[in-house]
Amino acid sequence: MPLDAHEHLEHAEHAAHAGDPFISLVSISIAVLAVLAAVTSSLETFESASAIIAANRAVLLQDQATDQWSFFEAKSLKKNIYAIAADGGGAHVADYLKKAKSEGEGGDAAQADAKKLEDAREDQIRLSEVHEGRHHRLTIGATLLEMGIALSTIAIVTKKRWPWFTSLGLGAIGAVIAVLTYLL
């Protein structure tokens, strides 16, 4: 998209050499719209990448949480095995009870870690959704700015004011959408 804006700007610059004040105004507006479109497109790319990164982090955190839940289950099984062995009586009852207690404590820590990892995963999912929403709004803003640039070029070619006014309106709406993306 930024390259398209640059191409439109070059056409406008060539037309501006005609000395017509209207064409000069339109050319300036194309330059402003092109800068806004480039910034908006860059932010759009940033938000898209940020959404992907946050989603990837969520997947990694889920894998880590799954590992912790597996560790918790293993600890729980060991605890129960030692408790059953202790219930059977015999010379090693005290050792079995001690190991059952130890496995239980380790399991509690693994369970707490798994829950923390799941909470962190949820945070990354929410963050990914925020970035994705911003990306979509910035796409709309950038598209409106590009449309404004194209209509400004039409205004130069046709020497009519209504395409230029329309381009300014579309550009303003696109810029407002881009700004509101970060304010709301």
Side-chain angles (χ1 to χ4, degrees):
M1 279 188 164
L3 293 177
D4 293 339
H6 181 69
E7 185 176 323
H8 287 291
L9 181 58
E10 284 181 4
H11 291 297
E13 287 173 353
H14 291 301
H17 293 302
D20 184 347
F22 171 71
I23 292 176
S24 294
L25 281 174
V26 176
S27 297
I28 291 169
S29 68
I30 288 173
V32 170
L33 291 172
V35 168
L36 292 173
V39 169
T40 303
S41 293
S42 293
L43 291 172
E44 175 189 7
T45 300
F46 171 78
E47 292 298 340
S48 177
S50 296
I52 291 168
I53 290 168
N56 286 342
R57 285 182 183 148
V59 170
L60 291 173
L61 287 165
Q62 179 57 53
D63 286 346
Q64 292 171 348
T66 299
D67 290 346
Q68 282 301 310
W69 281 117
S70 295
F71 185 64
F72 165 74
E73 289 173 4
K75 289 284 194 182
S76 180
L77 285 171
K78 286 180 182 179
K79 174 187 165 190
N80 290 333
I81 288 170
Y82 285 121
I84 291 169
D87 286 345
H92 300 289
V93 170
D95 290 338
Y96 293 149
L97 288 173
K98 184 178 174 184
K99 287 183 179 183
K101 182 180 177 189
S102 172
E103 294 295 339
E105 291 169 355
D108 293 342
Q111 184 179 34
D113 288 345
K115 288 180 181 179
K116 286 179 189 174
L117 288 165
E118 286 179 338
D119 290 342
R121 176 207 60 210
E122 290 301 316
D123 290 342
Q124 288 299 312
I125 288 171
R126 281 190 288 279
L127 184 59
S128 177
E129 290 169 353
V130 166
H131 287 298
E132 188 175 343
R134 287 178 182 166
H135 165 76
H136 292 311
R137 288 187 295 278
L138 290 167
T139 298
I140 293 167
T143 300
L144 292 172
L145 287 161
E146 291 289 335
M147 290 169 61
I149 292 168
L151 283 173
S152 290
T153 304
I154 292 171
I156 288 174
V157 172
T158 63
K159 295 189 177 15
K160 296 190 183 225
R161 293 189 178 274
W162 72 265
W164 181 52
F165 291 136
T166 305
S167 76
L168 294 176
L170 289 173
I173 293 168
V176 167
I177 289 172
V179 168
L180 289 178
T181 294
Y182 291 99
L183 296 179
L184 300 178

